[in-house]
Amino acid sequence: MTKYLTTLCLIAGGVMPLIVDISPSHLLNPSWEPHARLHEVWRLSTNTLIFSLGIYLLWIKKREVLSAIMSLCILAGFVIAEMLIPLYGGDTVSQGIVEPEILHIPIGVFMFYSAFIIQIFTLSLLRYTQAKPKDL
């Protein structure tokens, strides 16, 4: 079960942003500065490469904990960025975009935080199930 949860979280952080962010609201937004677009492509590329390596380590090399930690790094990056919004004047939704909500939370924020929590839970399960009796 933990491999499937980590796969789901890797997809959330490494694939879903490609689908959502290569759009007129993000990367293709004509009002974005060219330098901001460079950073967006850099982030998308980095997350996709981490996703690819994470999937390889998880399913081919059977390195489940390392893969889960890599997934958590992608997701924690979003959580940190969202928590620091007051310091840099960002926002979770682009101006003029109506994003669907779940429990009055923008769906993107809800999805990333959910995946973050699931990945922490998964790492906890892995730690518990892989612990030796003396470690408990």
Side-chain angles (χ1 to χ4, degrees), residues 12-81:
V15 176
M16 291 305 295
L18 290 172
I19 295 166
V20 174
D21 294 349
I22 299 176
S23 68
S25 69
H26 284 72
L27 184 61
L28 306 177
N29 187 333
S31 67
W32 274 30
E33 292 290 327
H35 187 71
R37 290 180 196 196
L38 168 80
H39 283 277
E40 179 68 355
V41 171
W42 180 6
R43 180 190 63 84
L44 291 169
S45 300
T46 300
N47 287 2
T48 301
L49 290 168
I50 293 170
F51 158 79
S52 301
L53 182 58
I55 290 293
Y56 171 76
L57 290 171
L58 180 63
W59 290 99
I60 306 298
K61 292 296 185 178
K62 312 297 186 215
R63 300 287 307 271
E64 194 169 353
V65 172
L66 180 57
S67 181
I69 290 169
M70 293 172 68
S71 170
L72 193 60
C73 286
I74 295 172
L75 299 166
F78 175 84
V79 171
I80 291 166

Side-chain angles (χ1 to χ4, degrees), residues 108-135:
V109 174
F110 186 87
M111 189 264 314
F112 272 106
Y113 271 90
S114 296
F116 180 72
I117 292 166
I118 290 167
Q119 193 63 82
I120 290 171
F121 171 75
T122 303
L123 274 167
S124 299
L125 280 177
L126 287 169
R127 171 71 176 122
Y128 179 75
T129 59
Q130 292 181 358
K132 295 176 180 62
K134 68 177 183 158
D135 294 334

